[in-house]
Amino acid sequence: MLQKWWHNTIGYQIYPKSFQDTNGDGIGDLKGVTAHLDDLADLGINVIWLCPVNKSPMKDHGYDISDYEEIDPMFGSKDDLRELIREADRRGIKILMDLVVNHTSSEHPWFQKALKDPDGEYGKYYMIQEGKGGKAPNNWRSIFGGSAWERIGDTNRYYLHLFTKWQPDLNWENPALRQKIYEMVNRWLDLGIRGFRVDAISHLKKDFSGASLTADGADGLADGFACFTNAEGIGVFLDELRENTFQRYDAMTIGEVDEGLPPGALTKYIGENGYFSTIFDFCHSIFHVGAAQWRDQPTAMMDELKKLLFAKQEMVRGRGLLCNYMENHDLSRAVERFIPENEIDFYSSSLVGGINFFLPGIVFLYQGQAIGMRDFRKKELSEFKDPTTFVMYEEQIKNGMTAEESFAQINLESREHARTPMQWNDTPNAGFSTVEPWFAVNPNYHSINYEAQKKDPDSLYAFYKKMIALRKSGDFQELFIYGSFTPVYEEEPGVIAYRRSYDGRSVLIINNAKPQETALALPGTVTNTLLSNYDKVILNDGMIQLKRYQTVVLELL
Ligand code: NOJ
Ligand code: CA
């Protein structure tokens, strides 16, 4: 595999709104990110992905951009971004932004002009179609619920929005629009950012050719995912995007593209001539141990996860690197999703971090993950903030849930759980802000916070630091990036284990992802314990005795 600068990425995703407020308005800002660069460098990360900071009415917390050229004043200024890039660079950290080009905000001037004159130049920037028989052009359901079409005033025209109605989809079929996007992308690269996480990019191409779909819900709508996810022909847009922008800057790009890839297509997306440097691996995002399906069989859930993780590695073997992560701003906290409530502690939390940390590929952490931030369940729906939450709540009721069931579902899995303010210390508002934050801090910050864990050599934070240091260590860095991957103990329930080998060295990673102890016969002689979340690794007579939720990295002869 041709070696690239970003192959050694230990990434860290920042949700700026909830990271650190520096000007006392209760909202995190760019200066807040700069203020914590030393902390991030201490953890050992070398790439930051900033969730959107462009100008936005914040209907989807920045994923609805109204001005691609500007920073939203809520987050600061372009000078603040320049300062962040400069200061990060001094610490060997590169900055990626979020690139949101499947849609804009409905307040974007392009869309405002399109509304006024749908037949004019800007009308062609969006997907505007005539209605059929007094109804929307087709019955696609939006990814966030409800029809994917919104009627324009009292005309018979509708615009497409795969997400909220405040996020009209751009028309990538229009070369003039594409050109505008490329120029914009290059301006940010010229400013010094080193790449992008590319939002919702698998939806750029829409296939309108089919007949209306058979309704699959009480709302009379249908899941149109197959018609607008990695649709035939999307590669033309993605190739062109890469050639006109990223490639010219040797930029790092992480596509949000995992779902719906046709068999064999994965390697077009990543690898040497792939559309992107890497893509997020969504294997784990479908699991929640609190869901009815898994509640009584958490170990079976881990086995299912193992199958998906390993199958994905087989698909990319030697041809490209996946981006391994456990948390992001769209998922509730990982420990809540993988570990039964009564089993959550240091051991199980560190195991969750270890499950995919040493797989081939790069790794990404989300803010708060390394200190084990937890979901903050709400008493009332009104405590949530995201417009999408409310749309989903209503949609679930329309589709047959009671109000209580719909609320319980949201309270269990809401993506908003990941967005509570960062817990820096034990002072009021967890040190996030001097005033009441835009979204309530989890009251557990007295016991779960960065400052306390930084001081404690046995904390989860200390364990994450060790994992990172091991991945980056001179002896093993190349092994963890480029080494071969061989599943081990595949049939062993609740055990997620694999061997990595490179240049004559071999490492065995074992995660005993269950509350029971396990004894396993070792496939070789252990020469070195590189990492364990327990003080002791019990080896005797060619066997290893693993404690509940023990995770180990061993060097083998
Ligand atoms: C994926 C982003 O991660 C999510 O937060 C957003 O709502 C959608 N894309 C739409 O942009
Ligand atoms: Ca602020």
Side-chain angles (χ1 to χ4, degrees), residues 60 63 103 144 163 167 197 199 256 329-330 415 419:
D60 189 13
Y63 284 95
H103 45 269
F144 284 165
F163 296 92
Q167 293 163 295
R197 175 267 190 178
D199 184 69
E256 194 202 14
H329 66 294
D330 288 330
R415 63 180 186 166
R419 302 176 180 185

Side-chain angles (χ1 to χ4, degrees), residues 191-226:
L191 191 126
I193 66 147
R194 292 306 305 274
F196 298 94
R197 175 267 190 178
V198 197
D199 184 69
I201 199 71
S202 55
H203 305 305
L204 284 193
K205 180 93 183 175
K206 282 85 176 171
D207 176 4
F208 293 109
S209 64
S212 224
L213 303 165
T214 312
D216 59 19
D219 56 5
L221 301 171
D223 178 352
F225 219 71

Side-chain angles (χ1 to χ4, degrees), residues 223-254:
D223 178 352
F225 219 71
C227 307
F228 52 72
T229 307
N230 302 306
E232 184 71 36
I234 192 172
V236 176
F237 298 156
L238 298 181
D239 258 334
E240 195 186 270
L241 169 63
R242 179 183 61 123
E243 281 162 16
N244 285 279
T245 59
F246 316 141
Q247 199 175 41
R248 298 185 182 177
Y249 292 78
D250 194 18
M252 170 180 188
T253 53
I254 318 176

Side-chain angles (χ1 to χ4, degrees), residues 20-29 74-75:
Q20 177 71 65
D21 174 25
T22 59
N23 63 345
D25 62 358
I27 302 170
D29 40 56
M74 162 189 296
F75 297 121

Side-chain angles (χ1 to χ4, degrees), residues 423-431 445-452:
Q423 295 166 209
W424 290 108
N425 56 42
D426 192 18
T427 64
N429 307 316
Y445 72 89
H446 297 290
S447 54
I448 299 181
N449 68 66
Y450 169 73
E451 236 168 68

Side-chain angles (χ1 to χ4, degrees), residues 165-198:
K165 65 176 177 192
W166 303 286
Q167 293 163 295
D169 278 58
L170 285 165
N171 177 16
W172 274 71
E173 306 292 339
N174 178 354
L177 174 267
R178 300 206 296 273
Q179 203 49 44
K180 280 260 168 66
I181 298 284
Y182 305 152
E183 288 164 10
M184 174 275 287
V185 168
N186 290 343
R187 277 192 287 276
W188 288 108
L189 289 164
D190 283 335
L191 191 126
I193 66 147
R194 292 306 305 274
F196 298 94
R197 175 267 190 178
V198 197

